Amino acid sequence: MSKETMTTSNPGTETEDDDSLASPTPGSEAVEESSPSRSSGSERTVIESRNLDVYYGTEQALQSVDIQIPERQVTAMIGPSGCGKSTFLRCINRMNDLIDAARVEGDLLFQNKNVYDDDVDPVALRRRIGMVFQQPNPFPKSIYDNVAYGLRLQNKTENLDEKVEEALKGAALWDEVSHQLDESGLELSGGQQQRLCIARAIAVDPEVILMDEPASALDPVATSQIEDLIDELAQDYTVVIVTHNMQQAARISDKTAVFLTGGELVEFDDTQKIFENPEHQRVEDYITGKFG
Amino acid sequence: MSEEPARPDFAGENRTRSAKEASIKWFLFVCAALSVLVTVAIVATLLVDAIEFFTRVSPVAFYTGTNWSPKIGEEFGVLPLVTNTLAVTVLSALVAIPVGTASAAYLSEYATDRTRSVLKPALEILAGIPTVVYGFFALVYVTPALRGVGVPVGTFNLLSASIMVGVMIIPMVSSLSEDAMSAVPDSLRQGAYGLGATKYEVTTSVVIPAAVSGIFSSFILALSRAIGETMIVVVAAGMSPQLFPSAFESIQPMTSAMVQLSTSDLAGGTAAYYSLFAIGLTLFVITFSMNVASNWVASRYREEYE
């Protein structure tokens, strides 16, 4: 399972992370050292797309999307069904690669490195960008093994117990499951399963967490727990969340991107501005429920 | 003659129709019951004649005796036949389990739809080949080929027969295991990919563990099929039961011993005649309990995804 480590000279990109992105070598400590410090300025852009088009076969799902997603904030993507918000999310960690018919054009930069460059290994990329899905999808393994899964993939198994505990605490689940770590993750309630999936994602200490409607399958109490958690996660991670629930976007996000039918990013701004005084009439119509 | 219009009479028609319906229902029921009845009859026959055998030869002598010579000397030690059946089963499992599981993993996780649509029917053709053809193939091709690469096998030998029994049960393992792997929800694969797993890691650490009950139950079913397999071993494995069989030499499993015995000039009412039923019952008990075990494994370890 040895993949080539590609050479790192990439004129035009000055990021220090080329190496670690292109190299899938598990457990390489260099990744940790070369990662930018989280204490740097809060408005730094982590993810940026330029002229991003996505096609599924002949159908265009995203139309020249330009966006700059800031570090350690919650950025919400809202819009009606089929507007491309999930497609955009899945471009960031190249989960679209799993769909044969999907084709991406334009640039998507993660820390100034185009993730669609030939020398980027999607496996290495996904190790730094966690993802939480619409349906809670814990593995049919114990709670402990679920959280340890990503760490084991990357051979980061020293102090595994501590890391698992830390991740479960980070996902606000530790107090509920600390006495049953050996039980199956499938025994938990839906909300607990989703927090387990969040624990699984943050255990490997990614820089970004992508969430694809993470609360849409949950009841209101579990939803509110997830929302509180997202708020806390944003202190350490960049969170990008797709939601069809506009109130949720308004409650939890710092920035909001509004996609409208046809895969067009119509407006992207501070959440407050989007909800109180959007620039575009179409956005206002959507927010106020005149359509969609 | 009444002036009143006659009321329509539905009853007569109704009576014949319901009688017809009832007889159809009975006919279908008898057809459905037939297979059950035949099974019960077979088990009963096996039991009755096996019990008759055990009144002549003690079960202890039968199950612990190490010499099988039913006609000359009337030695009814079944152990060599059992160890030889076991040997065929283990060796064929060594062929079928790795190849079958790997094909299942390939078909379920790696193959494109197009490749799968060609490969899967091709694999299932293997299941449709008459087993006597496998036996013949073992005798005239596999054995010479083994000799060609320097394996010192006799004309009839355990190894080539077992290889072909293994090939015969590959489709059973691959087809049932593939069903189990395909049934693993895609959301689990996505979750693993999202954590930076490679395709190989997704297959080995998520899909196979999640499908393990179906995979194991396919193993057990395939092995039970190998235990009952007759023609391949009759044609290619020889007729000499060995308590400690060598892979390179002639052996004789239980099924093959039954064939030899029943095709010889066997006088009814002798102990040798009744021994057929004792072996048959033993085989039946083994394969039946394996099928039960397979069902139990499949339901016991099935993970609840939904």
Side-chain angles (χ1 to χ4, degrees), chain B residues 40-82:
Chain B
V40 171
I42 288 174
V43 174
T45 316
L46 275 178
L47 267 176
V48 167
D49 287 342
I51 288 166
E52 175 61 34
F53 174 77
F54 287 128
T55 61
R56 301 174 188 215
V57 178
S58 85
V60 176
F62 183 66
Y63 286 114
T64 60
T66 56
N67 190 9
W68 178 257
S69 178
K71 303 194 77 178
I72 305 149
E74 299 228 320
E75 298 260 17
F76 293 102
V78 82
L79 265 187
L81 304 182
V82 173

Side-chain angles (χ1 to χ4, degrees), chain A residues 1 3 90 93 95 98 123 126-127 129-131 133 137-141 149-150 153-154 184 186 200-201 204, chain B residues 112 186-206 209-211 303-305:
Chain A
M1 206 191 55
K3 291 219 174 73
R90 282 157 189 268
N93 63 346
M95 286 294 275
L98 301 176
V123 168
R126 291 180 200 136
R127 288 179 176 188
I129 302 182
M131 189 160 199
F133 299 82
N137 57 352
F139 302 127
K141 301 176 189 288
Y149 184 82
L153 281 183
Q154 301 185 32
S184 169
L186 299 169
R200 188 173 70 183
V204 293
Chain B
T112 60
D186 216 32
S187 64
L188 294 184
R189 295 184 184 85
Q190 299 246 334
Y193 280 123
L195 285 164
T198 61
K199 182 158 260 199
Y200 177 74
E201 286 161 344
V202 171
T203 306
T204 53
S205 68
V206 173
E303 293 291 353
E304 305 296 336
Y305 304 116

Side-chain angles (χ1 to χ4, degrees), chain A residues 223-286:
Chain A
T223 299
S224 129
Q225 285 172 325
I226 297 284
E227 288 182 5
D228 291 346
L229 180 56
I230 289 170
D231 200 42
E232 281 171 37
L233 289 175
Q235 292 171 14
D236 296 313
Y237 305 97
T238 304
V239 178
V240 185
I241 177 171
V242 163
T243 176
H244 65 266
N245 179 335
M246 281 181 278
Q247 284 70 37
Q248 184 173 64
R251 280 193 299 266
I252 63 174
S253 68
D254 304 298
K255 299 262 188 186
T256 296
V258 184
F259 287 78
L260 293 178
T261 319
E264 191 188 348
L265 173 59
V266 180
E267 194 163 340
F268 176 56
D269 212 327
D270 290 340
T271 297
Q272 204 176 353
K273 171 92 164 64
I274 294 275
F275 280 90
E276 285 172 5
N277 186 22
E279 298 285 330
H280 294 75
Q281 188 60 40
R282 291 161 69 201
V283 171
E284 189 171 340
D285 288 350
Y286 176 67

